[in-house]
Amino acid sequence: MRLFILTSIVMVAFAANSVLNRLALADGEIGPSAFASIRIVAGALMLLALIFFRGGNKLSFSKPNVTAVLALCAYILGFSHAYISLDAGFGALLLFGAVQITMFIGAFIQRENLTLQKWIGAALAFSGLIYLLSPSNAGIDPLGAGLMTIAAIGWGIYSIIGRGAANPLKDTGMNFLYGVPIISLALFLFPDTTTITASGVLLAIISGAITSGLGYALWYAIIPQLQTSTAAVAQLTVPIIATAGGIVFLAEAIDSRFIIATTLVLCGVGISAYRRKPNTP
């Protein structure tokens, strides 16, 4: 139950992160490069502060995990830049679909036992997501779709690496810290044309410090306790949670499509994650 609650908190953080990105970028409050830069700096500062206080007012650094840092940066940059050119429904479907595929490939490479039960659960959850987010009314931008795919692959790899995290808080903090110069370089190479507003900066800070920094640290703390395939399927609940957030906080209408899709996704996740208790004599 504790693992279920913590996983649910992380999924809510991921969904909130998507909403914050949408609010900031879709409304023109800030450009994608500036948003990504502020986001990773805010996350690094929050995590380094926690590392400092938990370490008895001492701050120690470790060597970077280059693959993890690059994967994190690929996700942050790809997601921010793709969000301004893709239809929201198709973008979410592409992101979480590609994340699931990436992590299932990782599970296969790790020789995880991918039972028929897991495949059925994953297919059911994914079908619910497709039903919720399709049909897409907007055209598909090839560049945006490519960037979102890169973001998804980056996040899938980053999550797989997290299964071996020895110190989740410090590992996440170092990933954010070493990612700052890479994201900052992208700001200079791909400057924004959008004017930065106070609201945009605030949304980026919240996204970086709370839903990204703290959310990702908690994800690294619990993902070693999840099978890779289970972690992949669990993330398919994020678009459902984000849609529910729109209903609660933005007074968006609830309809039969949302109810059916939610039922399919939750049933699929439940089937994929269910384990029978061993018989005891």
Side-chain angles (χ1 to χ4, degrees):
M1 180 58 67
R2 177 177 177 273
L3 180 60
F4 172 79
I5 293 173
L6 292 177
T7 303
S8 299
I9 292 173
V10 172
M11 296 305 108
V12 170
F14 290 173
N17 210 28
S18 296
V19 173
L20 291 168
N21 275 265
R22 183 172 61 191
L23 287 174
L25 300 177
D27 293 342
E29 300 291 344
I30 192 173
S33 292
F35 186 92
S37 297
I38 296 173
R39 178 183 177 186
I40 197 165
V41 169
L45 291 175
M46 170 65 82
L47 292 167
L48 290 176
L50 291 175
I51 294 171
F52 178 77
F53 289 116
R54 287 192 61 181
N57 296 336
K58 293 181 180 180
L59 186 60
S60 59
F61 298 90
S62 58
K63 293 182 179 180
N65 182 323
V66 177
T67 304
V69 173
L70 292 177
L72 177 63
C73 291
Y75 164 72
I76 291 177
L77 286 172
F79 183 73
S80 292
H81 283 272
Y83 224 100
I84 61 177
S85 60
L86 284 183
D87 170 76
F90 178 78
L93 176 60
L94 179 58
L95 174 66
F96 291 100
V99 165
Q100 185 182 30
I101 292 171
T102 301
M103 294 189 69
F104 262 73
I105 291 174
F108 179 78
I109 293 174
Q110 295 172 341
R111 297 185 178 181
E112 184 177 304
N113 183 24
L114 297 176
T115 63
L116 179 60
Q117 174 187 328
K118 288 185 178 294
W119 286 109
I120 292 174
L124 185 61
F126 194 50
S127 67
L129 190 58
I130 293 175
Y131 180 71
L132 174 67
L133 300 175
S134 63
S136 175
N137 295 319
I140 300 172
D141 178 70
L143 177 60
L147 289 171
M148 188 63 83
T149 302
I150 291 173
I153 294 173
W155 181 252
I157 293 173
Y158 187 77
S159 296
I160 293 171
I161 293 173
R163 288 180 52 77
N167 187 330
L169 177 61
K170 186 173 183 180
D171 288 353
T172 307
M174 293 300 104
N175 291 336
F176 269 74
L177 177 63
Y178 291 119
V180 168
I182 299 175
I183 301 294
S184 299
L185 178 62
L187 176 62
F188 289 101
L189 294 177
F190 308 101
D192 298 320
T193 57
T194 306
T195 302
I196 299 176
T197 67
S199 297
V201 172
L202 179 61
L203 289 170
I205 291 174
I206 295 173
S207 174
I210 300 176
T211 57
S212 295
L214 298 182
Y216 296 1
L218 182 56
W219 182 234
Y220 259 34
I222 65 175
I223 197 172
Q225 304 173 59
L226 299 171
Q227 291 187 314
T228 301
S229 55
T230 301
V233 176
Q235 292 180 84
L236 292 178
T237 62
V238 173
I240 297 291
I241 298 171
T243 303
I247 293 172
V248 174
F249 298 106
L250 303 176
E252 295 178 352
I254 186 171
D255 56 16
S256 59
R257 176 181 290 271
F258 175 74
I259 295 174
I260 294 172
T262 300
T263 302
L264 289 171
V265 170
L266 293 182
C267 287
V269 172
I271 291 172
S272 182
Y274 177 75
R275 296 183 186 180
R276 291 183 179 180
K277 293 183 178 179
N279 295 325
T280 55

